Amino acid sequence: MTIAAILFAAIAILAIMFVFSAVLVVRQGFEYTIERFGRFIKTAQPGFTLILPFIDRVGRRINMMEQVLDIPGQEIITKDNAMVAVDGVVFFQVLDPAKAAYEVSDLYRALLQLTTTNLRTVMGSMDLDETLSKRDEINARLLSVVDHATVAWGVKLTRVELKDIRPPADIVNAMGRQMKAEREKRALILESEGQRASEILKAEGQKQSQILQAEGRRESAFRDAEARERAAEAEATATRVVSDAITGGEALAINYFVAQKYVEAVGKFATSPNAKTILFPVEATQLIGTLGGIGALAKAALGDDGFPVAQPPARTKAAPRASVSVPTQRPDDPA
């Protein structure tokens, strides 16, 4: 093999190496910084990029995808001097690879320290109850502060999330007792409200019942008064009829009236609940005579055959005759 052939082969190999070194392949999701003699000149996008061999070189390989940075657990003192352990995660994305490569020496460490210090600041200005109940507010404040600080680094924070907040064991026990007491308090309040509603409903029911009873008594009294009024009217009518009959000269009418009252009085004696023995201080002949008067009255009104008879015209009353009563003496009376 001649020297010329060796030189040709060497030149061909150098040309091939030159071509391969001049072509740079960048993967999707990454961007490379190109340095010429140690100075940044451009950014290589995903795909093929031509550079000057042995003069240009790749400076930093920057991940342009959204990344997750884990914040390790740390103890933070709240505003009310409670010690809590907190850990979380940060989601960020590089928007400017040149700033991310040359404006900060260690991007991941800088983000971690910046997020940790601001987390202490934010949670240290809040009470324990606020830190446990206002996670969204803590996340929003952290995102605003840290994102504003990382603009100069070409980084955009998309989310900051707290994974866990762990208070001390004694505070957890106190919170458990407080929650139990609060629930018991609410249960007692609900029970008392239920009892109050039940008493109100009972009172309303009793009120309605009393109103209905009063209305019933009023209606009953009204009807009783009406019945008594009608009975009085009937009694007055009967009395007036008897009085008219007596005035017209019908002496049997008064006998009927007296007999009716007599029979009613005797019936009341018989139906008395306290009467065990009834003594009649009258003679039986008087009762028979009264009943006989009633029969005579009926005959005078209906006649012997049971049909009413026409009343004769009224006559002029004659002067009363003088009568002499002779006293009678019973055999057993003393002389």
Side-chain angles (χ1 to χ4, degrees):
M1 182 180 293
T2 61
I3 297 176
I6 295 174
L7 290 175
F8 179 78
I11 293 172
I13 293 173
L14 289 175
I16 293 172
M17 292 177 62
F18 183 83
V19 171
F20 275 101
S21 60
V23 177
L24 179 64
V25 179
V26 180
R27 292 184 300 168
Q28 183 65 37
F30 287 84
E31 290 188 9
Y32 298 169
T33 59
I34 306 301
E35 301 176 356
R36 180 173 294 172
F37 299 113
R39 179 175 177 273
F40 170 75
I41 58 172
K42 66 177 181 179
T43 301
Q45 303 292 329
F48 287 96
T49 302
L50 296 177
I51 60 175
L52 294 177
F54 310 109
I55 298 176
D56 298 339
R57 70 181 185 88
V58 177
R60 301 287 180 87
R61 291 175 172 83
I62 306 299
N63 188 349
M64 302 300 293
M65 296 178 289
E66 186 172 0
Q67 303 176 63
V68 180
L69 180 62
D70 190 17
I71 301 175
Q74 52 185 318
E75 293 184 348
I76 299 175
I77 300 176
T78 61
K79 185 178 179 180
D80 52 353
N81 298 323
M83 186 75 67
V84 293
V86 183
D87 56 0
V89 291
V90 177
F91 297 85
F92 70 95
Q93 185 176 10
V94 177
L95 301 180
D96 192 341
K99 291 182 178 181
Y102 301 107
E103 294 294 336
V104 58
S105 61
D106 190 345
L107 178 62
Y108 297 100
R109 185 171 178 271
L111 286 174
L112 180 60
Q113 295 299 325
L114 181 63
T115 305
T116 301
T117 54
N118 282 278
L119 180 60
R120 291 178 180 272
T121 302
V122 171
M123 295 190 65
S125 62
M126 304 175 69
D127 296 334
L128 177 61
D129 295 337
E130 294 179 343
T131 59
L132 296 175
S133 61
K134 297 182 178 181
R135 290 197 178 193
D136 293 339
E137 182 179 347
I138 297 173
N139 296 337
R141 292 176 61 181
L142 275 176
L143 180 62
S144 176
V145 173
V146 179
D147 183 56
H148 180 72
T150 57
V151 172
W153 301 344
V155 177
K156 173 66 178 177
L157 264 70
T158 56
R159 289 190 300 276
V160 178
E161 299 290 342
L162 297 180
K163 291 194 299 185
D164 192 14
I165 300 177
R166 297 179 298 276
D170 55 346
I171 295 181
V172 173
N173 295 332
M175 291 171 61
R177 293 194 299 270
Q178 180 183 1
M179 181 184 65
K180 182 179 179 180
E182 186 68 23
R183 292 184 179 276
E184 290 178 352
K185 173 184 174 182
R186 279 187 281 178
L188 291 176
I189 291 174
L190 292 176
E191 184 178 358
S192 62
E193 289 180 353
Q195 292 179 355
R196 184 182 66 178
S198 176
E199 294 296 331
I200 291 174
L201 291 176
K202 284 183 179 179
E204 289 291 338
Q206 293 177 357
K207 175 182 176 182
Q208 294 296 330
S209 176
Q210 292 176 358
I211 291 174
L212 293 176
Q213 290 178 1
E215 291 179 353
R217 289 194 298 269
R218 184 184 65 179
E219 184 69 20
S220 176
F222 176 76
R223 294 185 179 276
D224 290 343
E226 185 178 2
R228 288 195 299 270
E229 181 181 357
R230 292 183 178 179
E233 290 178 356
E235 186 72 19
T237 302
T239 305
R240 186 172 61 252
V241 170
V242 172
S243 177
D244 293 342
I246 294 173
T247 304
E250 295 292 339
L252 295 177
I254 188 61
N255 293 334
Y256 172 77
F257 185 75
V258 172
Q260 181 182 9
K261 295 298 182 180
Y262 186 82
V263 172
E264 290 179 357
V266 173
K268 289 182 179 179
F269 275 113
T271 57
S272 176
N274 298 323
K276 302 302 181 180
T277 304
I278 302 174
L279 297 177
F280 292 96
V282 293
E283 295 182 359
T285 57
Q286 294 179 358
L287 179 59
I288 296 173
T290 303
L291 296 177
I294 296 174
L297 179 62
K299 288 181 178 181
L302 300 176
D304 295 335
D305 54 356
F307 295 98
V309 295
Q311 296 292 336
R315 296 180 301 173
T316 304
K317 292 184 178 180
R321 296 179 182 179
S323 61
V324 179
S325 61
V326 179
T328 60
Q329 182 177 1
R330 295 184 180 179
D332 55 352
D333 288 341

